[in-house]
Amino acid sequence: GDSVTQMEGPVTLSEEAFLTINCTYTATGYPSLFWYVQYPGEGLQLLLKATKADDKGSNKGFEATYRKETTSFHLEKGSVQVSDSAVYFCALTAGGSYIPTFGRGTSLIVHP
Amino acid sequence: DAGITQSPRYKITETGRQVTLMCHQTWSHSYMFWYRQDLGHGLRLIYYSAAADITDKGEVSDGYVVSRSKTENFPLTLESATRSQTSVYFCATTLTTGNNQPQHFGDGTRLSIL
């Protein structure tokens, strides 16, 4: 079946540091890939997505590129802020299904 | 633009009680989902629905019941609550089928069963 693997957290960074959160996947066909963010006490919200190989999704300074050859969709941000502290989920939908497969989530803690 | 409203936001109840968690959406999205979120388990799908009167079990459906008589409402009922059902419950929607559609989530219900 489909699966998503994310790096385990927590990831702890100082403000203005560079962020990478790794995400790799296995899926049938050509999946669509998503990153969601969950702030404390809230539900998940879409951060960015990419629907075909080599697409780059971007939002709020975050970027991720759909790499079919390495089956990866790593999340990056050049300079994190304290307000980016949250849990980040990588997810995919594939094979015409509307039911996503989520990774376990990666907690990010940014210190001033 | 209310989006998805979950109620209550917090609930404390006792084992053996029946409890219903409500989910209401204002978008008329076809697909609705219930998840539970627990430390160490991530998000787990409980039930989902493709349309009114069409529901299907997810990976952790035992002990839960859903209904969807109207497109906009998707209540989740714990028929006889157990301590293992203490969790944060999220309702989500998707506009249409096709694998490029994101999910939209409510803010969750934090349920404690004593």
Side-chain angles (χ1 to χ4, degrees), chain A residues 49-71:
Chain A
K49 72 174 186 180
T51 57
K52 60 183 188 295
D54 300 325
D55 267 1
K56 178 185 283 188
S58 61
N59 187 24
K60 298 181 182 180
F62 291 90
E63 293 183 339
T65 301
Y66 188 140
R67 300 287 188 200
K68 189 170 183 298
E69 64 276 12
T70 55
T71 62

Side-chain angles (χ1 to χ4, degrees), chain A residues 18-22 35 47-48 56-65 73-80:
Chain A
F18 184 87
L19 168 71
T20 300
I21 300 177
N22 291 336
W35 277 102
L47 180 60
L48 53 84
K56 178 185 283 188
S58 61
N59 187 24
K60 298 181 182 180
F62 291 90
E63 293 183 339
T65 301
F73 192 53
H74 304 321
L75 183 68
E76 297 182 335
K77 186 175 186 184
S79 176
V80 293

